[in-house]
Amino acid sequence: MSLTQLERTLKLDIKAALGCTEPITIALAVCKARRLTAGKVKKINLKLSTNLLKNAMEVGIPGTGGQRGIPLAAALGCFSPAEDPGMTLLEGMTEEWLQQARKFVEADLVGIELASDRHGLFVEAIVDDDIGNSARSIIHGSHENCVLLEKNGEIIFKSDKTGDSGSGKLLQERQKLAATSFAKIWNNISALSPELRRHMLSGIEMNLKVAEAGMGKDGFLKIGNIYRELMQQGWLGNDVINEAKALTSAAVDARMSGCDLPVMTSAGSGNQGLTITLPLHVLAKHVKADDTRLSEALAISHGITSILKHHSGTLSAMCGCVVCSGTGLTAGATYLLGGDLEIATAAVNNMVGSITGIICDGAKVGCSIKLICAVDSSFQAAMMAMRGLKLPTTNGVLGENLESSLANIGLIAAPGMVETDDQILSIMLGKPLR
């Protein structure tokens, strides 16, 4: 039963997305509202939670040559030709489509308001046309979870954020997974279905292409190349940890710069997907693990990330890449190294004791440096646990077992850091726009 629950959750929580998932969610909300209108769009109004606003402000949008901005994401969603709009609705960007959106933004037709009473992931999009129609959509809880569609005051569709409609089912499945014994998952991981194994392994191939792009022309910071140069020149060791850091940071750099390639996500985040897949790929090659064992490590990592997303919320003041997927990576790396559940629990506690509380200050190219921290800390936590290092559970926020440690992280994120999130956004909004 526990493994069945893991499979149900991961089939919903591991999927391809094009571009940073927060601006794509804004585009998706606008797209859904737009399709309830018939005339020429004359105005788009957005209400965004603190978390969504800070994560969508500074990230490159795919297909735009690295252009940024919430208004542009909204306008691109409005004019998207996607037949079945989802997280890849900006795929196949054309110059005509981009210019149409840019003109809309330049005419100052996108309004943005902070929904200060909303935390986590929340976007409300209102689209008005020139023949009197007004349509509204709300996405809440997870990146595709549309909870309201409304036209001219008439409700077309409504669900609560944990409903069984749309991707609200995902939130339910994460909750059920968090209530599951992880020992039962760990001990039965070899029974994973071939279908899920293939899906997770395909994510490695997808994400490696993004890393290659980051090593090429698509990375703004060129951080992967810098890491490789430091390794070649002897400033950094030419080892498995630094190779994983170089590859992962290059991929994040490319993605945050607006690379026009899809990534395989984890728990709603492309960067979290990169944090899990690429380091485990590098480590599996180093220890000569076959695809069977690698896919099992991937499932463990993705599963813990999904549990942490349930506890902390899809978006929070805490960096999901370091804290959530970084912790998941720790357990997956321990599995690849041959550790048992007791060692994996020690490794997770080593990780929790070192990185918990690292803030999220929005999606941006600088996330690539945070990902270096995630990979480095994850591998070290796993390797130290394999050699007997085990933090006392009386230390700080550590729990008595793996499940309680993950739950404690969630308590720090929400409600613990809600006011921190507001302060982070205040600092970000106080900067002059470039």
Side-chain angles (χ1 to χ4, degrees), residues 32-227:
K32 286 180 177 293
R34 165 62 178 134
R35 293 189 178 200
L36 297 176
T37 63
K40 181 180 178 181
V41 177
K42 66 176 186 179
K43 185 70 176 177
I44 298 170
N45 285 297
L46 301 170
K47 286 186 179 179
L48 307 174
S49 63
T50 298
N51 309 87
L52 193 58
L53 183 59
K54 70 184 175 69
N55 267 16
M57 282 175 59
E58 185 60 17
V59 66
I61 301 172
T64 67
Q67 296 177 52
R68 303 178 174 92
I70 291 170
L72 182 59
L76 288 169
C78 179
F79 299 116
S80 171
E83 293 183 8
D84 184 21
M87 297 306 287
T88 56
L89 84 163
L90 298 187
E91 204 165 35
M93 182 77 64
T94 64
E95 186 62 27
E96 180 183 1
W97 177 7
L98 176 58
Q99 290 308 316
Q100 189 178 16
R102 283 176 55 84
K103 287 178 182 178
F104 196 87
V105 172
E106 289 165 2
D108 197 25
L109 299 178
V110 180
I112 303 172
E113 180 182 341
L114 177 64
S116 56
D117 59 334
R118 299 284 190 171
H119 293 279
L121 193 154
F122 176 88
V123 53
E124 177 185 81
I126 298 174
V127 176
D128 298 320
D129 70 16
D130 62 354
I131 57 174
N133 292 307
S134 181
R136 183 164 72 117
S137 75
I138 294 176
I139 293 178
H140 186 202
S142 65
H143 290 84
E144 296 179 88
N145 187 38
C146 182
V147 298
L148 180 73
L149 291 174
E150 184 181 276
K151 180 178 179 181
N152 298 330
E154 179 183 347
I155 293 175
I156 307 298
F157 168 81
K158 187 175 183 180
S159 170
D160 65 46
K161 72 170 185 173
T162 57
D164 57 7
S165 301
S167 68
K169 185 179 179 183
L170 168 59
L171 300 177
Q172 286 185 329
E173 298 299 345
R174 283 183 190 165
Q175 183 177 21
K176 291 176 184 176
L177 181 62
T180 299
S181 164
F182 206 82
K184 291 182 180 178
I185 291 173
W186 183 282
N187 293 331
N188 294 286
I189 200 70
S190 62
L192 275 176
S193 69
E195 177 190 3
L196 182 59
R197 290 178 189 271
R198 286 192 297 269
H199 181 56
M200 291 186 297
L201 291 169
S202 73
I204 291 178
E205 297 306 313
M206 183 180 292
N207 292 349
L208 278 171
K209 291 178 182 177
V210 182
E212 290 167 7
M215 291 291 187
K217 61 181 178 60
D218 286 339
F220 176 79
L221 295 178
K222 309 298 183 190
I223 189 168
N225 291 321
I226 291 171
Y227 238 86

Side-chain angles (χ1 to χ4, degrees), residues 208-320:
L208 278 171
K209 291 178 182 177
V210 182
E212 290 167 7
M215 291 291 187
K217 61 181 178 60
D218 286 339
F220 176 79
L221 295 178
K222 309 298 183 190
I223 189 168
N225 291 321
I226 291 171
Y227 238 86
R228 287 265 176 89
E229 286 176 11
L230 290 169
M231 292 161 65
Q232 291 166 0
Q233 294 170 6
W235 294 104
L236 293 174
N238 189 3
D239 55 44
V240 63
I241 297 180
N242 284 326
E243 177 58 25
K245 286 155 67 176
L247 201 63
T248 307
S249 62
V252 175
D253 185 18
R255 183 168 179 266
M256 295 290 94
S257 300
C259 175
D260 195 16
L261 287 171
V263 299
M264 192 66 83
T265 67
S266 181
S269 165
N271 285 356
Q272 287 173 184
L274 295 170
T275 307
I276 289 170
T277 55
L278 297 176
L280 287 181
H281 163 72
V282 173
L283 182 58
K285 286 200 304 181
H286 183 74
V287 300
K288 297 180 172 55
D290 60 17
D291 281 352
T292 297
R293 191 156 186 88
L294 174 56
S295 62
E296 291 162 4
L298 286 166
I300 288 168
S301 297
H302 285 300
I304 286 180
T305 303
S306 292
I307 291 170
L308 278 167
K309 280 298 173 179
H310 162 70
H311 288 308
S312 67
T314 303
L315 299 178
S316 74
M318 198 177 288
C319 176

